[in-house]
Amino acid sequence: MQIVILGAGYAGLRAALDLDRLIREHGYDATVTLVDQNAYHQVVQVLHLTATAAIHSREAIYELDRLLRSSDIQFVQSRVCRIAALDRALELADGRRISYDRLVIALGAETAYYNIPGAKEHTLPLRTYEQALALREHIKAQFSAAAGAANPRVLLTTAIVGGGFTGCQIAGEVADWSDQLCAETGAPKNEVRIALLDRGPALLRQFGAWAGKDAQRSLDRMGVSVYLNTKIEAVEPQLLQVEGKRLLRAATVIWVAGIQAPALLAESGLEVDSTAASMSIGIYGCAIKA
Ligand SMILES: Cc1cc2nc3c(=O)[nH]c(=O)nc-3n(C[C@H](O)[C@H](O)[C@H](O)COP(=O)(O)OP(=O)(O)OC[C@H]3O[C@@H](n4cnc5c(N)ncnc54)[C@H](O)[C@@H]3O)c2cc1C
């Protein structure tokens, strides 16, 4: 039996390693193939630290070659373009086609933009290692440019859209990093602004009211301005248009306002509902019995 696992994130890597162990322990006639677009496993929960240079960038990734070395798992590095479920086959970006008997889908989630005009084009997301590196370089460049600018306020303003877990974490880290960046670049500290915006009435809603209040107090102490009940209507370069015709100018807009299931699933004709993004893993074929 050919078992193929899509995604070498938390869910996919764990599933691959556990299945490989079971197959070897019980002598099952099965192979495990793991497919990921990257040659590394990314430690997603430290990406906000990578994005703000709080850790060395290599600390956020582990080479899959090394993680899989003592297993029989076959690793294929490629981006999956389509799942042809009726043919039990996958189409990869490099033109290869892989057949499977059982398929485990663990592709994680994508940033959700809710069709807000300009949101995808003019903001920086934070869901992957590459995005974290891009965000880090972008923020550094704004501070460097601000050092010699006549009006540095916009360059030194970071707006974070989304007051969930990732939004609160990155807001705190940007605040922490700003002092260091000002010292390194000569950018004026008194012009630094950090705004965290959420369309809901509280931060960290999934953890309850106490957590939101606690987070707000901590962020306030760190100099982060929190704007609740603030809905973004459109984004333009360096400009957030807020409901009620208010405008916020910021050279860095970080979009962490939510996630959705990878578009690839619906494009492949698989059923996707609003809970799919929070479900890390799906198994196509039938249940795998251990
Ligand atoms: C900044 C940040 C901090 C977080 N902190 C925490 C925390 O402290 N605690 C916590 O529990 N959760 C945290 N989370 C959430 C947590 O990271 C996710 O819930 C978790 O990563 C989901 O695991 P997963 O295996 O489903 O997907 P992922 O870990 O995202 O893995 C998906 C994998 O699929 C691959 N992939 C995607 N599309 C394709 C394709 N088309 N072809 C090939 N490969 C593809 C990707 O390269 C990736 O390796 C955080 C998230 C973020 C963004």
Side-chain angles (χ1 to χ4, degrees):
M1 180 197 290
Q2 167 82 328
I3 302 167
V4 176
I5 298 173
L6 301 186
Y10 291 114
L13 183 61
R14 184 75 268 156
L17 290 169
D18 285 356
L19 280 171
D20 174 71
R21 184 176 47 78
L22 287 169
I23 288 166
R24 287 198 282 171
E25 271 174 21
H26 297 275
Y28 292 139
D29 181 19
T31 59
V32 176
T33 302
L34 182 61
V35 184
D36 200 289
Q37 58 203 351
N38 301 315
Y40 51 78
H41 165 80
Q42 48 195 0
V43 187
V44 182
Q45 80 270 22
V46 299
L47 289 183
H48 57 291
L49 302 177
T50 304
T52 50
I55 58 171
H56 290 295
S57 57
R58 303 294 296 179
E59 289 177 52
I61 52 172
Y62 290 95
E63 298 302 326
L64 283 164
D65 264 1
R66 292 185 61 180
L67 293 176
L68 303 176
R69 193 176 286 163
S70 56
S71 76
D72 291 336
I73 299 164
Q74 294 165 25
F75 175 60
V76 174
Q77 188 190 346
S78 191
R79 196 168 58 79
V80 184
C81 295
R82 189 167 163 266
I83 300 167
L86 293 178
D87 300 337
R88 298 199 170 200
L90 305 168
E91 290 167 17
L92 306 182
D94 56 21
R96 278 182 286 177
R97 199 174 157 89
I98 297 182
S99 299
Y100 62 80
D101 298 305
R102 302 287 182 266
L103 181 67
V104 179
I105 301 174
L107 293 171
E110 297 178 342
T111 301
Y113 295 99
Y114 312 106
N115 292 323
I116 295 172
K120 190 170 182 183
E121 294 78 13
H122 306 303
T123 67
L124 294 145
L126 181 60
R127 281 221 54 82
T128 68
Y129 175 64
E130 281 183 2
Q131 291 169 352
L133 294 182
L135 178 55
R136 186 186 69 186
E137 294 314 306
H138 175 88
I139 294 175
K140 273 162 71 173
Q142 306 318 303
F143 275 71
S144 297
N151 185 0
R153 171 70 59 86
V154 174
L155 289 167
L156 294 176
T157 300
T158 302
I160 297 137
V161 183
F165 200 47
T166 307
C168 289
Q169 282 183 310
I170 191 70
E173 291 301 328
V174 171
D176 244 9
W177 192 31
S178 295
D179 285 353
Q180 188 191 330
L181 276 175
C182 286
E184 281 169 13
T185 60
K189 206 170 146 180
N190 61 341
E191 295 288 343
V192 172
R193 298 287 183 275
I194 302 163
L196 176 62
L197 306 96
D198 197 289
R199 65 180 171 182
L203 298 176
L204 297 177
R205 263 173 296 161
Q206 63 273 49
F207 296 107
W210 67 269
K213 283 185 188 141
D214 237 30
Q216 202 168 340
R217 267 195 298 272
S218 301
L219 289 169
D220 188 50
R221 274 198 299 273
M222 299 174 94
V224 176
S225 309
V226 175
Y227 298 93
L228 298 171
N229 300 307
T230 301
K231 195 171 162 208
I232 306 304
E233 290 198 322
V235 189
E236 290 173 35
Q238 301 199 339
L239 187 73
L240 281 173
Q241 203 173 303
V242 183
E243 197 177 30
K245 303 251 181 288
R246 284 179 294 152
L247 300 176
L248 174 68
R249 293 189 187 281
T252 304
V253 181
I254 305 174
W255 191 272
V256 282
I259 55 172
Q260 63 185 26
L264 153 73
L265 302 184
E267 285 163 14
S268 298
L270 302 177
E271 200 176 324
V272 178
D273 65 21
S274 59
T275 59
S278 55
M279 287 171 53
S280 287
I281 195 161
I283 298 175
Y284 277 75
C286 72
I288 295 166
K289 293 203 173 87

